[in-house]
Amino acid sequence: PDNCNLVVGIALAGMGLDATRVEMLADPGAIRTTHRLTFSSGGSDGCLVIEAPVVPPGGDPADLAAFSILRLLRRWDAPVFV
């Protein structure tokens, strides 16, 4: 699947491939691609959601994922996160 590269990247940045659980769903009628990352660490739980338009055939989904993650990282550095 097109989104496996994102899953592997998240797993390698986190606890590793063996400690990462993945659930992938396919919806042929979807108009947006959704990546939902849920995590638990000690006493804290969290969820990160990135949504983007579905990439047309022949498009490059890496562009959308990379720019979404860069935007998120820039916002984390901001004094106010809305």
Side-chain angles (χ1 to χ4, degrees):
D2 292 337
N3 297 314
C4 283
N5 59 348
L6 181 65
V7 172
V8 170
I10 290 170
L12 292 174
M15 298 296 292
L17 294 171
D18 293 335
T20 302
R21 293 183 310 195
V22 176
E23 179 180 353
M24 295 185 79
L25 305 171
D27 179 0
I31 58 172
R32 298 188 65 75
T33 299
T34 303
H35 301 279
R36 184 180 321 264
L37 171 64
T38 57
F39 55 90
S40 180
S41 175
S44 301
D45 298 325
C47 181
L48 169 69
V49 178
I50 298 175
E51 292 186 344
V54 172
V55 177
D60 187 356
D63 291 344
L64 292 175
F67 288 124
S68 294
I69 291 169
L70 286 173
R71 181 173 180 263
L72 175 70
L73 293 173
R74 285 188 184 125
R75 290 176 64 193
W76 274 347
D77 193 38
V80 177
F81 190 163
V82 180

